[in-house]
Amino acid sequence: MQISAVSVGVEAETLNFCCNIVKYTAAEKLYAVCKICHCGRMTLVAEAEVYDENDTLLATVLTTLFVVETIKDIPRKW
């Protein structure tokens, strides 16, 4: 989630992290799809879904991050 924060030009620290595990897997490769829901001056809210190599939903994550610093070279919107 912090990497997603960097993609919108901020350095952020986690305030709250909520993870719901939907299903177990023995797969070796997993991937996550992250979406920034809110990008304010002081906070950032991001949600993600974790999938296995067969595109099976394994977990959902919701995170609130505190904006520590703005990264000048990275724009908020691409």
Side-chain angles (χ1 to χ4, degrees), residues 14-77:
T14 303
L15 288 174
N16 185 32
F17 183 87
C18 178
C19 178
N20 295 308
I21 299 171
V22 178
K23 189 173 183 182
Y24 170 79
T25 185
E28 293 183 19
K29 295 182 181 181
L30 305 177
Y31 69 94
V33 178
C34 184
K35 175 184 165 189
I36 304 293
C37 301
H38 167 74
C39 188
R41 277 185 319 116
M42 301 294 287
T43 60
L44 185 102
V45 177
E47 64 181 9
E49 294 178 334
V50 180
Y51 296 92
D52 68 4
E53 53 205 16
N54 298 320
D55 292 330
T56 303
L57 179 65
L58 302 175
T60 59
V61 181
L62 183 64
T63 304
T64 303
L65 301 148
F66 175 72
V67 175
V68 176
E69 187 176 338
T70 303
I71 303 169
K72 303 287 184 204
D73 297 332
I74 301 175
R76 282 248 172 158
K77 292 189 178 185

